[in-house]
Amino acid sequence: MNKFSTTDKSVDALENMPWEDRPSGSSAVIWRYSANPVIPRDLLPTSNSIFNSAVVPFAGAFAGVFRVDNQKRQMNLHRGFSPDGLSWKLDPSPIEFLSDDPEVGRYEYRYDPRVTWLEDRFYVTWCNGYHGPTIGIGYTYDSENFYFVENAYLPYNRNGVLFPRKINGQFMMLSRPSDRGHTPWGDMFISQSPDLVYWGKHRFVMQPKDGWQSTKIGAGPTPIETPEGWLLFYHGVLTSCNGFVYSFGAALLDLEQPWKVLYRTASYLLAPQTLYECVGDVPNVAFPCAALYHQPSGRIAIYYGGADTVTALAFCRMDEIIDFIKSNSEL
Amino acid sequence: MNKFSTTDKSVDALENMPWEDRPSGSSAVIWRYSANPVIPRDLLPTSNSIFNSAVVPFAGAFAGVFRVDNQKRQMNLHRGFSPDGLSWKLDPSPIEFLSDDPEVGRYEYRYDPRVTWLEDRFYVTWCNGYHGPTIGIGYTYDSENFYFVENAYLPYNRNGVLFPRKINGQFMMLSRPSDRGHTPWGDMFISQSPDLVYWGKHRFVMQPKDGWQSTKIGAGPTPIETPEGWLLFYHGVLTSCNGFVYSFGAALLDLEQPWKVLYRTASYLLAPQTLYECVGDVPNVAFPCAALYHQPSGRIAIYYGGADTVTALAFCRMDEIIDFIKSNSEL
Amino acid sequence: MNKFSTTDKSVDALENMPWEDRPSGSSAVIWRYSANPVIPRDLLPTSNSIFNSAVVPFAGAFAGVFRVDNQKRQMNLHRGFSPDGLSWKLDPSPIEFLSDDPEVGRYEYRYDPRVTWLEDRFYVTWCNGYHGPTIGIGYTYDSENFYFVENAYLPYNRNGVLFPRKINGQFMMLSRPSDRGHTPWGDMFISQSPDLVYWGKHRFVMQPKDGWQSTKIGAGPTPIETPEGWLLFYHGVLTSCNGFVYSFGAALLDLEQPWKVLYRTASYLLAPQTLYECVGDVPNVAFPCAALYHQPSGRIAIYYGGADTVTALAFCRMDEIIDFIKSNSEL
Amino acid sequence: MNKFSTTDKSVDALENMPWEDRPSGSSAVIWRYSANPVIPRDLLPTSNSIFNSAVVPFAGAFAGVFRVDNQKRQMNLHRGFSPDGLSWKLDPSPIEFLSDDPEVGRYEYRYDPRVTWLEDRFYVTWCNGYHGPTIGIGYTYDSENFYFVENAYLPYNRNGVLFPRKINGQFMMLSRPSDRGHTPWGDMFISQSPDLVYWGKHRFVMQPKDGWQSTKIGAGPTPIETPEGWLLFYHGVLTSCNGFVYSFGAALLDLEQPWKVLYRTASYLLAPQTLYECVGDVPNVAFPCAALYHQPSGRIAIYYGGADTVTALAFCRMDEIIDFIKSNSEL
Amino acid sequence: MNKFSTTDKSVDALENMPWEDRPSGSSAVIWRYSANPVIPRDLLPTSNSIFNSAVVPFAGAFAGVFRVDNQKRQMNLHRGFSPDGLSWKLDPSPIEFLSDDPEVGRYEYRYDPRVTWLEDRFYVTWCNGYHGPTIGIGYTYDSENFYFVENAYLPYNRNGVLFPRKINGQFMMLSRPSDRGHTPWGDMFISQSPDLVYWGKHRFVMQPKDGWQSTKIGAGPTPIETPEGWLLFYHGVLTSCNGFVYSFGAALLDLEQPWKVLYRTASYLLAPQTLYECVGDVPNVAFPCAALYHQPSGRIAIYYGGADTVTALAFCRMDEIIDFIKSNSEL
Amino acid sequence: MNKFSTTDKSVDALENMPWEDRPSGSSAVIWRYSANPVIPRDLLPTSNSIFNSAVVPFAGAFAGVFRVDNQKRQMNLHRGFSPDGLSWKLDPSPIEFLSDDPEVGRYEYRYDPRVTWLEDRFYVTWCNGYHGPTIGIGYTYDSENFYFVENAYLPYNRNGVLFPRKINGQFMMLSRPSDRGHTPWGDMFISQSPDLVYWGKHRFVMQPKDGWQSTKIGAGPTPIETPEGWLLFYHGVLTSCNGFVYSFGAALLDLEQPWKVLYRTASYLLAPQTLYECVGDVPNVAFPCAALYHQPSGRIAIYYGGADTVTALAFCRMDEIIDFIKSNSEL
């Protein structure tokens, strides 16, 4: 069971989030927050954009690790805090990850974080520049001090997402092997580790299909454990004659053998259709990095990046999402 | 003479369409409907977008074959009906084309339909997936039952547009041979057939020129017969550093030897400049698929896709269009 | 049954060809002529290369249509004659195809001919430049006067190969739709025609597979009718980091529904391995355009281009080829 | 010292320009004019877009050379005049440059002009089509008659910008060597000339760096002489998965050896973030071509193109810009 | 110390190899075997080519794992044995690697093996197809039974080369992260493992430089321990206008921190210059996969692939190689 | 008149060159030296290849500036001397060009030299690396001391060839503007200079045509003055599916307005057809850099690079070449 949603204080936090119901007249399984974007591009004086960010319940409120591109267009990670998940204060300085080894501790670039509560701490995974993009792993107990573990893989990789508990005694991480550029392909794999330092037993999970997910796919938020399997929101990319379009759908993965895909949405759940998703530094992007599940009420809140520029929020219900995935599934 | 505009009931239909005059102060030869888009992307609950669609006068009102991409981003054709050409109801199920041969009757994808009244029925041509994009031909007498004829050509082809009558005893179709992807080139050709099944005597019609039509060109709506030649609206594509820009112009083709281009607009008639043309699934697209001519009044209504997302409408007058083409022509 | 091998004089011609047996110690199903190349690049004073050429038994001897690139590197077709199939004299002037329509009769370029005896004459098909490569069709009764029929298809197409008899009352032609350049993909299709002018009922035949035929495939010589099906030699292309490699294998197609592939060699029959196949204007090419079958003896002689520079010859036996195809088949 | 800002009448002109102060609450070193765009795309009846244009103080008011793309999408240069720098009238006919040599005097295309007062006249430099893009040089004394000098360089080049005075007795021009297409790289060089006809002693100035200026860079407005060096606004391009993003920053070049870069902004000054910069013929472009400096007040007004569609205006102060460049510099 | 050269029987084997001295008149540090290629492309009846193969001293003679592409152009690994390292017999069947997990045990393709004696057995590493190329690890005690361990990394990777002993208690492997195709870039990394299953602590080793190694580099044979550091022969690739050219040089890596490069040849040691290196399935390839060191005599024999077609042999001396590397080093 | 051929000693040198007559039976206008290549790739102990080199008569014998790529695959220029033009000694050290300005005097790379006697000294032009390839100019009086003048143009340029006398008081140089890589296009231009430092009045000369010269063209040896115009040998490139093929032809340029092409060979004169032209570091290259004309006898000797690896020699006669150009000309 997902620790985020069972800590008492986390429950409190999610209960206090100003949830919005599905707009009347709509039959969509997922709907946008009416005051999107929740975080504008210029929340910090030197930020160019704030997006693809990971929010967690924390200490009765909300904390997050945010992708902040500054006005040099350097990509970095910043901490942020919010009482309600909507109104945010971000640390103007990037997170410093402590490391004993200067070879991997030095800074190239960091982007697209995910945060996972696992056993006793928050783990952060992100796309980390080390002679190419790979998956960096760090952690914090208190959101004050952050420690660097290691780069999980050789370059070139993106979208590394940890499972929130060990499975069969092993840490598990999803990722998408990539190339050096704007990779025009990409399958999802899972890797296993006894210690978060050494990784192996890599297994193929799933690959692109037709339509909105025909170019490449990548894991989104930390998977949520449900009786039906691991609920994984993931993004898919379609290549139009004018570039990539990032939408997102969801899958259910086997609880014990998570490389087995049980169900997978043939339709997207949300595609870029609003101005803040279609216009910005990268037009036509909706990219989810965090999904908060309030188990008592069945509510899910999804944070996603809009146009690689701003952070937006969408809502759905666990029962409806599970139904949708199962009834719209094509493997 | 174009049958669409001479059937009594069609005349009625076009007379009843709420035509708008040129906005005061404008000198444009073509002007947009003030309440564009006429069809929003989400007219159907499962539609991602509705665009590049073909409207015809039908039974005193309007009918059409619509490109509907669903939320899988699969491309398909749906029927629709409207009393006035502005307010539409679409069949939520795709058109089923009956075929005796399962090899070509099976479904891959369908997009960018054109509809032509020819002799005794409505013919539909579209880009049909058969081991690559080619031109599918079908027909209906009643907009209830649709029959598949054949794929006219080998792949790879797009923008197949039938002439509304036989010429010298032959069916005639324009098309643009293409490749497998987002083809960065493309000339317009014409092909001839005694029976709509076997095609030959392919002749070159025209190729890209400078500016708005420098990358590729493709036939748009069914040509309209005029004393000056076949009036053909066609789209042209320019490649900017950020992708393709689809605009449209027009040409006049020789009535008996329609591979001979008499006049051709050096300027575009309409280029993507509004939000619904510039922002959407494919930014910067204005793509016409139907032009309705009301001969008694000289009015023309052009349906075109906006940003590969919505359906829009523009108006012009036959006499002004002919004048514009002839006075702005460069061959 | 293939007319080439049953005309008395043709039998004579093939009987008189200096056939070579399989080299001792070899177990190969196909073996090269020991004095390859049979036609050097400079047989004509102005030829740059002579390759990808089509030979037929003719009047008790041999005739052929040859791809000759001149020293402008223009591609054209020339006639040639030989008493034994090895020693050739070529007409220094290109073949002139007579046509009533100057639009398609004018010359752009011609290459990669095939010749087929069909009913009452020799048909020539080739890759013909008409605003892009397509399949030109011509014929001759006497190898003196050649007549142009039409371009069978819209551009862009290559490797058009006629069947040597009508099937179900229809002419049949294989081809590979292509693009404008050095197409990096390509499937084989079949098209049907009542009259060699209008073509339709296009059906998919087969596509690339792994290994030597992983990039694209194309029909080679005129198919030979056998009790086991149409014997089709075809080339396949593999893309190494240093370019295309053209090898050839064979398939058996259903006699009445030749779009049905019964068997297809997973291994190549012959790949470029000699200096005259590996070194030349296009390194690493073995490209067959003619296969002569001497039914009484079971012998087959295959003419193929080497390195897009010279013409080479290989031998095999019908029974062994059929066995090989059937026992090495993967569909 | 920049002659534009010291002519009495020019001072008058700039004094009378309706300057806007930094918006309250903002700490940005540069801010947009509140009524942007100052020139809409359709200011002329036949204009498709008006952007990347060069404004100078002229005769107590303002004049400029404007890039106007017409509705053929041909690129040309037009004159324009304004009493206040905001309200413009453009000559509907392109500028005609007089030349004795028809070989270089004939018209292919012209775009992205810069205008520089140098000694006794206004020089215009622009990207000139002569078998590829190169830098054309022309001049006018009176904005009535324009004379063509020569193309400074061989193709392929863009963004040629003259210094407003000779340095060490030589004319100096910045430029960016390019290729034939949408060049995905580009360094800035300087060239020297005794007479504006023959150019040599080419020296490298600077190359792309990380972030907003990682793909290519190019000089913007005429450099402004300051005690701290030549103030050069320049654009930089970043390549996202959906295309180029054009922002601009600034540098200070050594007064006597202007190929030596003293300081250079690591952050951009202005990046495309408004609808008129993000939506248009080329999304995500802010491209400066003119900067007017009013020395008495320290005010600078920058004209820049938005989305390759409209002309916009931004304001800043000399002292703040100099401070920003020096304190944000990375070489 | 390298176990291969210190086993008594291995010493015997290498002593008995018919070594050739440097040709008189030559000053080259490395020289080719006079009867190259040692293994022709058609040593097996169904082989298309045999190259990029790994030879080790074994039981007083020589054994090896060979890349054999069959006539389907499938890539596989075969065992082979030789009394003298020159005359080889290859098993006509591919090696079967036993595995408990059918997911990774199933066969896609295998190529470019390296063999390393490590502790108590021979380890084989190769480029293994598992949803893309990655590094497979297997082992054998007896060259009879082979066992599959795991894929070390996520795809896409090539040129995985194990060190012949643990360093600081960790297994160490060099590799080159790649992409899905003919990767036009590539750095060398090192990864560490406690158990050959889980890998981590990835460190950058070196990247391409100018000239022969300007496109990509990859580890060649198993590194040889010397007092001067690990002797690593490695290939480098230059991209000419007609494709890749594969040459090889050498480096010395720190004994305890082998990601530290002590010396590296600026010149190549051997580049493709003979017909069997320049002509074949991939022209211009010399690709080393095994280096046998006979410590008593200081002799080294290097097996390398020629033109991706045949296996060739070259000789050099340890002292001269070390001298050459150190005196020609550029880091 | 070309000074090289009229100096007494030069005449002597050319008289003493062991000229070969056209092989009996051949009708070719140009024929290869029977002992090609004249310079092997390994003439120097550290040379990888020696090709694309410029030879001139010098002091009664022959001297030359040679492109020597060393075994790092660095490109450089070396001096060489020969008594007969066939047997060469090369200086093992690269030429050092003296320069006062370290910015342009420093070394990046140098290749493809041409040498021209002009007025009072030998000028050397070559492709010079200065932040990209451009045309370096140097000179020597005595082949001992070489001086650097300047880079004539901004990058990116190749194949800069000086005329051997001023025309209308101006130095003249042909060149081909290029891009940063293996440029897939290229026209020939001419530029003018009063002093070899500043260049301008750039004029288009000619562009690629069909066939062997369809991709790009570039000037070869120094033009030779003849009563019929400047005789210019030039290379042309065709792009096959396996890369570039470099052949050469010739043109006659107007004596006073050398940007006017009077005649130009539609056929090539020599194309890569021998092993030393087809196999090497870049297969299929014949690239001329020097043509020596012995006026008394009408003999011409052409030095050209083979396969970017060796230097070869071909012979022809002035009268026959002129005839051939004029009778095979297509403009």
Side-chain angles (χ1 to χ4, degrees), chain A residues 101 104 130-131 150 152-157 170 175 177 180 185 187 189 192 197-200 202-204, chain E residues 101 104 130-131 150-157 170 175 177 180 185 187 189 192 197-200 202-204:
Chain A
D101 187 338
V104 290
Y130 176 69
H131 299 277
E150 263 290 344
Y153 312 123
L154 285 163
Y156 306 91
N157 206 311
Q170 300 272 75
S175 74
R180 284 190 173 181
W185 39 260
D187 302 339
F189 288 77
Q192 310 180 38
V197 172
Y198 300 99
W199 291 85
H202 314 284
R203 294 295 179 269
F204 173 80
Chain E
D101 186 338
V104 290
Y130 176 70
H131 299 278
E150 262 292 343
N151 291 311
Y153 312 124
L154 285 164
Y156 306 90
N157 206 311
Q170 299 272 78
S175 74
R180 286 189 170 179
W185 39 260
D187 303 338
F189 288 77
Q192 311 180 39
V197 172
Y198 299 98
W199 292 85
H202 315 284
R203 294 293 178 271
F204 173 82

Side-chain angles (χ1 to χ4, degrees), chain B residues 304-319:
Chain B
Y304 67 98
D308 272 18
T309 303
V310 296
T311 303
L313 184 58
F315 301 107
C316 58
R317 294 187 52 84
M318 177 61 86
D319 51 352

